[in-house]
Amino acid sequence: MTRQPRLAAHFAPLLTSLAAVVAAMLLGGIFLAIRGKDPVAAFAMLFSRGLGTSYGISESLIRMAPLLIVSAGLVIALRAGVWNIGIDGQLLIGALFAGVTGSSLAGQIPPPLMWLAAALAGIIGGLLWALVPGLLRVRWGLNEIITTLMMNYVAINVTSWLVKGPVKDPSVVPPQTRLIPVELRLPKIPGTGVHIGLLVGLLAVILVTILFRHTVAGFMLDVLGRNRQAAIHAGMPVNRLTLLALLASGALAGLAGANDILGVKGLFQGNWNPGYGFAAFALVYLARLDSLWIIPFAWFLSFLSIGGEMMARPLNIPTYFVDMLEGLMLLCFAVATWFERLRSPYGRAEVEIGPANAGEPPGPAVRETAVGSAAGNIGGRR
Amino acid sequence: MAILTVAETETMNTKTSQQRNQKRALGRPRPDAPHTSAPSDSRLPTSDSRLPTRHSPLVQMRDISKRFGPVVANDRVSLDLWPGEIHAILGENGAGKTTLVNILSGMETPDSGTIRVEGAEVQIAAPANALRLGIGTVYQHFTLVPNLSILENVVLGAQRSLVLDLADARAQVATMLADFGLDLSPDTEIRHLALGQRQRIEIIKALYRGSRILLLDEPTSVLTPGEVASLLDLLRRLRDQGVAVVLITHKLGEALAVSDRVTILRGGRNAGELGPDALAEASRESVRHRIIEQMFGAPEAAGHPRPVRDGTGTPLLTLERISTASAPGSLALRGLSLALHRGEVFGIAGVDGNGQKELGEVIAGQRPVTTGRIVLEGKEITNRGVAAATRAGIAYVTDDRLQEGTVAALSVAENVALKAIGRKPFSNGFWLDRRAMEEAARRAIAAFDVKTPGPDTPIGRLSGGNIQKLLLARELALDPLVLVCNKPTHGLDLRTADVVAGILREQADAGKAVLLISSELDELLAISDRIGVMVDGELVAVLPRAEATLETLGDLMLGGQRRTHQVAG
Ligand SMILES: Nc1ncnc2c1ncn2[C@@H]1O[C@H](COP(=O)(O)OP(=O)(O)OP(=O)(O)O)[C@@H](O)[C@H]1O
Ligand SMILES: [Mg+2]
């Protein structure tokens, strides 16, 4: 096999994602037109502000950091066939832990140590929050989709209660933790206005890539996600792997929370909930669960949300518009993978198991059955 | 009689008349149809059931080619299907049989070539098109919805109008059920049915949709011997009613028992065709030889010498009164005891579903036992899990190669390394060694002559038989003490099956113990030293090879008198 088709084969799945993105933008444009807004002007402003201003560029890069970290974790979970819907809750707990740890250590110890301690606290927070659904899943077989989702609500309430009382900064009225002074927050990457959280994000993505390409654990997680029964048959520690996948994604979500506290916000506020979870799902699927492709898509979604915010106010378009675009992208992606299957050079008969089968024993991965392949399409991978 | 048959096929142009027809034809089995006579007779054209010669082929496939990446699966293959004929497609693993029928059923589109149905050229772009043309397929992996009733499954998607005329459909389905020898109500849910029954429902479903061409890809591989016989009977009856039946099988005996025409594929090309005359003329043996020669390009390999061990000495593996549950409240194994010795092949015979699969899984550590002990070389391995059993020296070739044996989307190399991934040479426990994985895959490919573009091809793209070869290669590479094989030659062509049987024998001769679970008595008799018969989760008899014959085994399998020779353990 020559190099050329191989490279093409590597990029082909991305075309589907790009098509989905373009289609979503078109649909979004139609929506704007129906609402009486000029879609061309709106997208022109989105691109010119998001890409053409240094504020737009550096804000996008700052927003990228937590998305990268969260998505790196989500890839681990989804490739192992574990549906961690609880990213947002794990992130909140992590952020709160980091806020409390950071602010109480700030000024007491050298900043790098404080950052490490706060990051560790964030990781532990996310980990603990993922541990509950993890144990419920491996001990009693409770479906993690439901438990992680419920844990989100618990997290929102627990954190808002905590910042109203036990960990509240007594010197101010609103419910929030004590502020980490600006000069003690994460430093900027030299020559930019972007804090080093971005590098942490990139590192996380690279480590996850290495995990799946080169380690036994990554290999086993992949097998588990694609065919659970085969993992059992091969003697893999299925329960431990499931737990590992959930904990890893929880830990990274917690780290992302710490990143925002240490790099941007400086404190944990009672009503703060950035909701990165959904964006992470969208971009992880657009990247076809291939961790390196997360980087461009994370940038793109960050750009969309920053550019969207920047265009929304002057044009009087609700900021939800960007959320809607993300949702449309996922929808278009699901449809596009279906078409992709029809066009596959290996025939539509090939059914691959994706993480769509999480929780249940997976269906047959059988070349000879085409029927029923449309369902669970979203999990299809190259 | 002949005139009636003609009339039947001629009215098959419209769907409704076709259905009515089917109902009429099936509802009134012909007493003189040859389906009850001996197989050797029924494949001869008989005056009352054959169609007049003026008929043209129902389907003409001409110069069909299909590539999958670098693999040429079909290379200018031609195939004619005649009404009222059973047409067997034979060929070694990877010869392109499945691809050819997939093209006809709309699952794959050919790269070039033409298909004519009743003389008119057609494009079959999707399974729905095939159905409209009267081409029905019985997939090996069934497509019925388990928690819908038979009636719902059959009618599902077949209704043209929005209003479901269930009363009429029910009557029709009930007649078809009765006619197919299924004593079932149309309202029975599919999940309550046995595999063989489900397969019949698949056939009913195809016929209900007006199929006059029926494609069956290795339909007998999931059936018990009794079910096979009645399936073949059914196919004969369908043939007599003018249906064109395409049958893919690796079992030459089956093919010869029912076919009117045989097409042989080799390396994706037509390698020979035997029409009714050729099949009728020569003796069974000479036909067999001709076919094998055309399939492989060489005469059949000689059989293996059969050494015999008597199962004495210290056992390598003992099972003591093993019980295990299947569904709550029902036992899949009931206090089964067994002792395996070095150097022996211990065959397990039994009608499918009598606990054989569970026996294999229990030894492999994949299924917990509720009572009893499993001891390997003096070390207890009961309920220690798969990883511990593998480490202790047990390898298990599952019969479910697609759903648990392999991960379809992962490469051949990754699948070959699947069970030993945490160990040398595939890893140091943490880092993978992909080069070692690839090398192992290359060795397996070479040793078993596996047809694949390379070790990095997703294993799901290989033909069924080639996947089976890799599965076996993987377990052998573990270099186990005890090799448990469940239907290891399932889906393998004759020659490869033979090679595999030879390898199992060699493994035993090299000092290992082989537990061979199989529904093919011939295979068991060919290489086993002792044969145990399982009925209802128990070992009802253990016979030394010398006392085992097809008859005694068959008798015991069907619950004949118990003869527990040498109770093992
Ligand atoms: N979807 C696919 N992608 C890639 N290669 C394929 C695909 N389907 C079939 N092939 C290849 O085409 C060849 C013919 O395969 P096919 O399944 O038709 O064989 P077969 O005669 O049915 O074999 P078997 O008896 O083992 O089932 C094989 O080499 C197989 O690997
Ligand atoms: Mg096949």
Side-chain angles (χ1 to χ4, degrees):
Chain A
M1 215 189 259
T2 58
R3 211 173 172 77
Q4 198 67 38
R6 252 216 175 129
L7 208 65
H10 203 78
F11 277 93
L14 261 294
L15 291 180
T16 310
S17 301
L18 293 181
V21 169
V22 171
M25 307 265 268
L26 286 177
L27 287 175
I30 292 172
F31 172 80
L32 286 181
I34 291 172
R35 304 285 303 144
K37 312 281 180 193
D38 179 358
V40 178
F43 280 114
M45 187 179 271
L46 188 146
F47 279 93
S48 65
R49 298 249 163 130
L51 281 176
T53 64
S54 65
Y55 175 80
I57 292 174
S58 66
E59 281 302 301
S60 304
L61 291 176
I62 292 171
R63 175 67 57 87
M64 227 179 123
L67 279 186
L68 285 176
I69 302 175
V70 161
S71 309
L74 193 58
V75 166
I76 299 178
L78 289 179
R79 278 181 74 155
V82 177
W83 282 78
N84 184 2
I85 314 287
I87 296 281
D88 287 335
Q90 292 144 15
L91 183 138
L92 282 186
I93 299 287
L96 181 76
F97 274 37
V100 173
T101 313
S103 59
S104 51
L105 291 178
Q108 320 270 352
I109 57 174
L113 282 184
M114 182 271 278
W115 301 327
L116 277 184
L120 204 63
I123 288 176
I124 290 172
L127 205 83
L128 284 179
W129 221 244
L131 185 64
V132 179
L135 289 179
L136 289 176
R137 164 77 198 267
V138 300
R139 276 284 152 81
W140 290 286
L142 289 191
N143 187 328
E144 78 280 0
I145 299 182
I146 294 164
T147 50
T148 51
L149 184 69
M150 301 309 278
M151 289 296 281
N152 279 342
Y153 296 106
V154 182
I156 291 170
N157 289 313
V158 165
T159 52
S160 73
W161 170 70
L162 283 174
V163 286
K164 277 181 194 141
V167 302
K168 182 176 181 303
D169 178 357
S171 60
V172 295
V173 177
Q176 56 190 41
T177 59
R178 273 183 292 134
L179 187 70
I180 301 170
V182 181
E183 63 278 9
L184 295 183
R185 294 194 203 150
L186 292 181
K188 308 272 185 258
I189 300 170
T192 68
V194 182
H195 69 82
I196 58 165
L198 179 64
L199 301 182
V200 175
L202 292 173
L203 187 67
V205 169
I206 289 167
L207 287 179
V208 169
T209 308
I210 293 174
L211 172 78
F212 280 109
R213 293 212 180 144
H214 298 294
T215 73
V216 174
F219 182 89
M220 289 185 169
L221 289 169
D222 242 350
V223 170
L224 177 66
R226 290 172 191 270
N227 185 345
R228 192 181 156 78
Q229 186 57 32
I232 294 171
H233 175 68
M236 296 179 180
V238 168
N239 278 342
R240 255 185 290 156
L241 289 169
T242 306
L243 195 60
L244 172 75
L246 252 178
L247 292 185
S249 61
L252 283 165
L255 180 64
N259 168 84
D260 270 19
I261 299 296
L262 293 174
V264 187
K265 299 189 60 70
L267 49 65
F268 186 93
Q269 287 167 314
N271 58 355
W272 181 68
N273 184 2
Y276 295 137
F278 187 76
F281 260 92
L283 81 89
V284 164
Y285 273 119
L286 289 174
R288 316 296 307 249
L289 300 183
D290 186 336
S291 43
L292 277 188
W293 287 111
I294 285 175
I295 297 173
F297 281 105
W299 171 79
F300 182 71
L301 287 194
S302 314
F303 148 74
L304 264 192
S305 74
I306 298 295
E309 277 168 23
M310 291 168 78
M311 105 182 153
R313 247 156 289 147
L315 291 184
N316 196 20
I317 294 168
T319 45
Y320 297 125
F321 177 64
V322 171
D323 297 340
M324 188 187 85
L325 276 186
E326 274 170 15
L328 282 174
M329 274 174 211
L330 260 185
L331 267 179
C332 294
F333 178 74
V335 175
T337 51
W338 186 72
F339 279 110
E340 181 182 63
R341 197 174 299 259
L342 289 187
R343 283 189 45 255
S344 157
Y346 291 108
R348 73 205 65 156
E350 192 164 75
V351 179
E352 287 191 357
I353 292 179
N357 300 294
E360 264 83 49
V366 174
R367 179 156 62 78
E368 279 142 345
T369 12
V371 191
S373 65
N377 235 336
I378 205 169
R381 271 185 261 169
R382 54 178 188 91
Chain B
M1 211 60 220
I3 294 166
L4 171 66
T5 320
V6 177
E8 280 176 10
T9 36
E10 278 178 350
T11 49
M12 279 181 185
N13 288 328
T14 64
K15 186 176 150 66
T16 42
S17 69
Q18 146 75 0
Q19 276 181 5
R20 230 177 291 125
N21 221 326
Q22 210 105 55
K23 191 167 131 192
R24 177 159 48 87
L26 287 169
R28 192 164 39 79
R30 282 173 243 181
D32 54 343
H35 66 269
T36 45
S37 48
S40 54
D41 287 335
S42 66
R43 84 182 143 76
L44 300 176
T46 49
S47 57
D48 64 355
S49 65
R50 267 311 67 84
L51 289 153
T53 46
R54 69 174 173 80
H55 264 261
S56 55
L58 203 47
V59 175
Q60 289 171 287
M61 298 178 87
R62 280 285 165 277
D63 295 324
I64 300 288
S65 294
K66 174 76 182 176
R67 304 177 67 101
F68 293 106
V71 179
V72 183
N74 282 166
D75 186 5
R76 281 162 291 142
V77 177
S78 297
L79 182 78
D80 285 347
L81 301 180
W82 297 75
E85 196 171 84
I86 299 180
H87 193 141
I89 303 182
L90 303 176
E92 60 183 322
N93 295 128
K97 306 177 296 290
T98 298
T99 307
L100 190 65
V101 300
N102 278 351
I103 286 171
L104 197 52
S105 69
M107 294 268 291
E108 310 273 9
T109 40
D111 299 334
S112 62
T114 55
I115 304 176
R116 288 170 189 279
V117 175
E118 291 184 319
E121 189 166 335
V122 294
Q123 305 287 337
I124 309 179
N129 298 4
L131 268 180
R132 238 168 279 134
L133 291 166
I135 303 172
T137 313
V138 175
Y139 296 103
Q140 183 164 350
H141 303 277
F142 298 144
T143 57
L144 301 173
V145 186
N147 46 10
L148 291 185
S149 71
I150 294 176
L151 179 63
E152 286 161 333
N153 265 290
V154 170
V155 176
L156 205 75
Q159 216 70 18
R160 279 295 138 82
S161 66
L162 278 176
V163 198
L164 260 171
D165 187 358
L166 267 186
D168 190 40
R170 176 188 308 268
Q172 210 172 324
V173 171
T175 327
M176 289 172 98
L177 282 172
D179 216 69
F180 277 33
L182 290 169
D183 184 18
L184 295 167
S185 142
D187 299 314
T188 318
E189 282 181 27
I190 294 294
R191 64 195 165 93
H192 299 306
L193 306 188
L195 275 181
Q197 294 177 316
R198 291 188 196 198
Q199 191 176 50
R200 280 175 185 229
I201 307 293
E202 292 271 359
I203 296 175
I204 291 181
K205 188 171 149 186
L207 295 176
Y208 183 84
R209 274 143 225 256
S211 303
R212 55 225 154 105
I213 300 151
L214 195 62
L215 311 178
L216 302 111
D217 192 353
E218 299 192 31
T220 56
S221 54
V222 290
L223 302 182
T224 60
E227 286 174 330
V228 170
S230 56
L231 173 71
L232 297 185
D233 262 352
L234 177 60
L235 296 184
R236 287 191 191 105
R237 284 172 59 198
L238 293 174
R239 163 190 66 195
D240 297 339
Q241 283 150 11
V243 177
V245 178
V246 175
L247 174 70
I248 297 182
T249 175
H250 284 297
K251 298 180 189 137
L252 213 47
E254 284 169 10
L256 291 179
V258 293
S259 320
D260 305 292
R261 198 179 292 275
V262 171
T263 288
I264 295 141
L265 296 184
R266 190 165 138 220
R269 301 195 185 162
N270 287 97
E273 182 180 318
L274 280 77
D277 302 339
L279 286 172
E281 259 170 29
S283 75
R284 180 67 69 90
E285 259 323 291
S286 73
V287 171
R288 214 182 132 87
H289 271 105
R290 245 176 94 185
I291 291 178
I292 287 175
E293 217 171 296
Q294 285 171 343
M295 273 170 79
F296 301 107
E300 196 173 6
H304 326 277
R306 265 207 6 80
V308 174
R309 316 243 162 183
D310 58 1
T312 50
T314 25
L316 183 59
L317 176 80
T318 45
L319 273 62
E320 294 167 18
R321 305 175 159 281
I322 292 293
S323 295
T324 184
S326 47
S330 90
L331 286 180
L333 294 179
R334 309 160 178 269
L336 180 142
S337 296
L338 177 74
L340 278 186
H341 299 81
R342 282 184 188 281
E344 78 171 336
V345 174
F346 191 109
I348 297 280
V351 176
D352 264 1
N354 275 281
Q356 298 98 313
K357 186 177 175 67
E358 287 80 3
L359 175 63
E361 290 180 347
V362 156
I363 300 175
Q366 204 174 312
R367 171 183 289 274
V369 304
T370 45
T371 61
R373 289 177 359 117
I374 304 175
V375 180
L376 177 67
E377 273 199 315
K379 255 192 342 201
E380 178 155 354
I381 56 166
T382 325
N383 289 347
R384 294 278 159 81
V386 177
T390 312
R391 242 178 289 121
I394 287 179
Y396 169 48
V397 179
T398 170
D399 62 335
D400 192 350
R401 61 185 172 216
L402 297 172
Q403 288 182 42
E404 78 173 19
T406 56
V407 184
L410 293 188
S411 70
V412 167
E414 287 168 320
N415 275 288
V416 166
L418 201 66
K419 280 195 172 174
I421 195 69
R423 271 174 282 151
K424 292 235 176 278
F426 301 133
S427 76
N428 61 6
F430 186 84
W431 296 109
L432 296 175
D433 184 346
R434 293 215 175 250
R435 186 157 321 144
M437 290 161 72
E438 200 177 305
E439 244 159 54
R442 282 190 199 287
R443 272 198 304 275
I445 290 167
F448 282 79
D449 188 24
V450 176
K451 297 210 175 67
T452 169
D456 51 0
T457 307
I459 203 168
R461 286 182 192 162
L462 306 196
S463 83
N466 283 304
I467 297 179
Q468 184 66 30
K469 293 185 203 172
L470 285 169
L471 213 59
L472 192 71
R474 174 174 81 198
E475 305 303 323
L476 289 179
L478 292 173
D479 194 20
L481 293 169
V482 175
L483 183 62
V484 181
C485 299
N486 194 354
K487 300 189 184 161
T489 59
H490 172 141
L492 294 183
D493 62 54
L494 282 170
R495 190 160 62 172
T496 315
D498 221 49
V499 170
V500 165
I503 288 173
L504 296 183
R505 187 63 252 175
E506 276 167 26
Q507 291 288 314
D509 294 344
K512 300 180 172 165
V514 177
L515 187 76
L516 173 63
I517 302 171
S518 176
S519 44
E520 314 237 348
L521 295 181
D522 290 333
E523 175 176 291
L524 288 172
L525 289 168
I527 62 168
S528 305
D529 298 299
R530 291 188 293 159
I531 299 179
V533 180
M534 277 186 79
V535 176
D536 209 11
E538 284 175 89
L539 214 46
V540 295
V542 177
L543 305 177
R545 168 64 184 88
E547 289 178 31
T549 61
L550 278 177
E551 290 70 37
T552 45
L553 291 176
D555 211 40
L556 286 162
M557 281 164 62
L558 299 175
Q561 98 270 33
R562 273 162 183 261
R563 287 199 309 160
T564 314
H565 259 262
Q566 311 187 334
V567 178

